[in-house]
Amino acid sequence: MGKLTAQAIVEQALEIGDTEGLDAVTIRRLATDLGVTPMALYWHFKNKEQLLVGMADHLISDFAPEPADDRSWQCRLRDLAEGLIRVLRRYPCAKNVLAQVDQAAVPSFLVVWDLALGLAREAGFSIEESCLISKYLLQSAIAIADAPVHFASGRTPEEVAELVRVKRLGLESLPADRYPNLVEMAGPMVEGMSPGFYDAFGVDLVLTGIETLAAARRP
């Protein structure tokens, strides 16, 4: 193969993470898959912690926030959330990667975070409130992107189907007199719903809360 690049390493690491789980991502495994010695990888990433940061940076790097324009902060904040969800949805292991790194060490995440903070300030929130708005918005986007795909990481379609079946049966088997709603809604709770509806409702839920709070602060 040609010259080994950091991008090639993190792309292979993400592929392993998506199909087998993050525990399978090791320097030795990557070296074997890429046909190089472990030392060749250490030139780019000295340890797994640095590798995970590189993976996190790569999985967000395809998200390019729209430049500032004359649209309202509400529209731009919605675009940010929806765009981040679309990008993260490509990687079943995305949430686990982001959970294992210091997100402040991920350059591409800092771009998104900074924009979210700026839009919260533009909406009229205080500095403290803006910190919380950005945190809740970004973590909600990560969770929304993860929900339809997290079962897939490290499992075959057949294994996923069996997990879903067992989980649904478990809820449906609960005492209906004590948990009537869980029993009734076990299907959609476990099997999910259309991605379009799932994403739109989740973003609406978060953004409506932010917009309502912002309106309450106007004189």
Side-chain angles (χ1 to χ4, degrees):
M1 62 179 295
K3 182 179 178 181
L4 184 66
T5 64
Q7 179 174 335
I9 295 169
V10 296
E11 286 177 350
Q12 182 63 28
L14 285 167
E15 182 176 337
I16 296 171
D18 284 343
T19 56
E20 302 178 39
L22 287 185
D23 287 344
V25 179
T26 65
I27 296 295
R28 185 170 297 279
R29 167 66 186 277
L30 282 168
T32 299
D33 286 5
L34 293 168
V36 298
T37 66
M39 188 58 65
L41 274 67
Y42 286 122
W43 280 106
H44 298 281
F45 303 104
K46 291 182 171 57
N47 50 47
K48 187 168 181 178
E49 181 179 350
Q50 288 188 5
L51 174 62
L52 286 167
V53 170
M55 292 167 67
D57 191 50
H58 184 74
L59 62 87
I60 299 175
S61 63
D62 286 340
F63 174 54
E66 294 289 335
D69 52 31
D70 59 358
R71 291 177 305 154
S72 67
W73 65 264
Q74 292 95 326
C75 289
R76 295 174 62 204
L77 202 61
R78 181 175 293 273
D79 279 354
L80 184 154
E82 291 176 344
L84 185 58
I85 289 168
R86 281 194 302 271
V87 168
L88 296 179
R89 179 66 54 72
R90 302 174 190 172
Y91 304 94
C93 68
K95 184 180 179 182
N96 288 339
V97 172
L98 290 170
Q100 293 191 33
V101 301
D102 176 2
Q103 294 170 355
V106 181
S108 58
F109 188 85
L110 290 178
V111 173
V112 180
W113 193 3
D114 188 76
L115 177 57
L117 285 166
L119 290 172
R121 290 292 280 157
E122 186 178 326
F125 291 102
S126 69
I127 289 175
E128 291 82 3
E129 291 169 337
S130 296
C131 291
L132 293 177
I133 292 288
S134 67
K135 178 181 178 64
Y136 293 142
L137 176 73
L138 297 179
Q139 294 305 316
S140 294
I142 293 169
I144 291 169
D146 174 69
V149 298
H150 72 281
F151 274 153
S153 184
R155 299 186 177 98
T156 66
E158 293 76 18
E159 289 172 334
V160 171
E162 179 63 11
L163 280 172
V164 169
R165 186 187 71 81
V166 170
K167 190 168 184 179
R168 176 173 180 167
L169 284 175
L171 289 177
E172 290 177 336
S173 300
L174 291 170
D177 58 337
R178 188 172 183 182
Y179 307 104
N181 298 304
L182 282 171
V183 172
E184 179 187 4
M185 304 181 204
M189 279 285 290
V190 175
E191 296 171 1
M193 50 206 73
S194 75
F197 175 73
Y198 183 93
D199 292 353
F201 191 88
V203 173
D204 281 346
L205 187 65
V206 177
L207 266 293
T208 299
I210 295 173
E211 292 166 1
T212 301
L213 283 173
R217 279 155 175 71
R218 296 188 191 117

